[in-house]
Amino acid sequence: MTLTEIEKEYNFKYPALYKQLEQDGMLNVGEYGPNWYSTVFPKLKENPTLLLHSYDFELLNTNSIAEEINDFSDPEDYRQINPEFKFIPFAKSGAGDHYCFLLNEQNGDDIPIVFVWHDCNEVNYLAKNFQHYIFRTLLTDMSEQDTYNNVSDKEFRENIESVLKTHTKYLTEQQTEILKSVLSRQIIDYEIELPRTKEKHRGLLTDIELKRILNEIIPYEKMDKSFEYSTE
């Protein structure tokens, strides 16, 4: 299926930016399977598709989008999502959570981006629109080097540089300048304060600076707030 066919099938309109990404081939991730990482991924790395190197982010192909929309609205689905919520997923995490457009709060081309948890009755607001979401994700990636999978400093920088190469056209000049400035920094180790503990992180900026930049550049009163998707 194409995005246009999905729009007709489910009676909604994607934001113009997302349709542009489709036209530019930025959503062409191929068919996932046991050999995807060894055969498809190396080719995509040359010209990264949408947020290819983002942590715990798997872009859905269009056939998968239709399947996921049907699951969200299925009264037998284990999540029991309230039918008043209109979620259009575009990616998922390794655990089965979903990144979605929230059609209920669409305002012109601004459709909020949310994160729908699969194992708890919660939805988190991520950004006011998809353009802001791209910037937020790229900046967040710079703050979170994947040390769990032993990604080296060199590979960490190379991945960010390659993504910026294909994503700059979708960013504002100000956003691009900020990302390039952060990329020129030295990698640092820092700690995040959590209830009763601290969590070690490594990246090009701290979580405190990340939040400050996001609030200054893409302010959104609902950012990181949440609501319940089910009354069960």
Side-chain angles (χ1 to χ4, degrees), residues 1-4 17-28 62:
M1 298 182 73
T2 64
L3 295 188
T4 299
L17 174 58
Y18 203 71
K19 298 295 288 291
Q20 183 63 52
L21 288 164
E22 180 189 38
Q23 294 174 18
D24 294 344
M26 291 290 287
L27 307 181
N28 294 338
T62 51

Side-chain angles (χ1 to χ4, degrees), residues 96-190:
D97 312 303
H98 289 82
Y99 300 88
C100 302
F101 295 98
L102 178 59
L103 298 184
N104 301 71
E105 300 180 22
Q106 180 171 3
N107 181 16
D109 222 31
D110 284 342
I111 307 177
I113 305 304
V114 297
F115 187 75
V116 182
W117 295 87
H118 82 286
D119 58 353
C120 67
N121 180 17
E122 187 174 1
V123 179
N124 297 122
Y125 287 95
L126 299 178
K128 178 181 179 180
N129 57 47
F130 200 75
Q131 200 282 330
H132 287 187
Y133 171 73
I134 291 176
F135 174 71
R136 173 180 179 158
T137 305
L138 294 178
L139 190 64
T140 301
D141 289 342
M142 291 184 173
S143 73
E144 298 179 352
Q145 183 174 347
D146 185 2
T147 54
Y148 179 81
N149 290 313
N150 297 317
V151 173
S152 67
D153 290 358
K154 181 175 182 292
E155 185 178 1
F156 175 56
R157 286 187 181 278
E158 288 177 346
N159 288 344
I160 294 172
E161 289 171 351
S162 65
V163 167
L164 278 181
K165 180 181 66 175
T166 57
H167 286 58
T168 297
K169 68 180 292 185
Y170 311 110
L171 302 168
T172 66
E173 183 176 340
Q174 182 187 36
Q175 291 169 352
T176 300
E177 290 177 356
I178 290 171
L179 293 173
K180 288 183 176 180
S181 175
V182 173
L183 183 57
S184 68
R185 300 178 180 181
Q186 295 295 317
I187 297 173
I188 58 172
D189 295 300
Y190 66 94

Side-chain angles (χ1 to χ4, degrees), residues 3-135:
L3 295 188
T4 299
E5 290 172 332
I6 292 175
E7 288 177 324
K8 291 179 179 178
E9 178 72 20
Y10 298 99
N11 192 30
F12 74 97
K13 289 290 184 182
Y14 280 106
L17 174 58
Y18 203 71
K19 298 295 288 291
Q20 183 63 52
L21 288 164
E22 180 189 38
Q23 294 174 18
D24 294 344
M26 291 290 287
L27 307 181
N28 294 338
V29 293
E31 293 294 330
Y32 293 111
N35 298 319
W36 183 88
Y37 195 83
S38 62
T39 59
V40 179
F41 180 71
K43 298 177 182 177
L44 297 181
K45 285 187 67 174
E46 298 174 8
N47 290 286
T49 47
L50 181 64
L51 304 174
L52 179 68
H53 294 297
S54 293
Y55 179 71
D56 209 19
F57 178 94
E58 181 180 295
L59 190 65
L60 297 174
N61 58 41
T62 51
N63 288 332
S64 296
I65 290 173
E67 294 174 4
E68 300 286 1
I69 293 175
N70 290 334
D71 287 344
F72 271 56
S73 59
D74 185 352
E76 300 300 320
D77 183 77
Y78 69 96
R79 290 164 294 195
Q80 293 293 291
I81 294 175
N82 190 321
E84 75 176 62
F85 295 121
K86 306 301 181 184
F87 299 118
I88 303 296
F90 60 87
K92 64 181 180 180
S93 71
D97 312 303
H98 289 82
Y99 300 88
C100 302
F101 295 98
L102 178 59
L103 298 184
N104 301 71
E105 300 180 22
Q106 180 171 3
N107 181 16
D109 222 31
D110 284 342
I111 307 177
I113 305 304
V114 297
F115 187 75
V116 182
W117 295 87
H118 82 286
D119 58 353
C120 67
N121 180 17
E122 187 174 1
V123 179
N124 297 122
Y125 287 95
L126 299 178
K128 178 181 179 180
N129 57 47
F130 200 75
Q131 200 282 330
H132 287 187
Y133 171 73
I134 291 176
F135 174 71

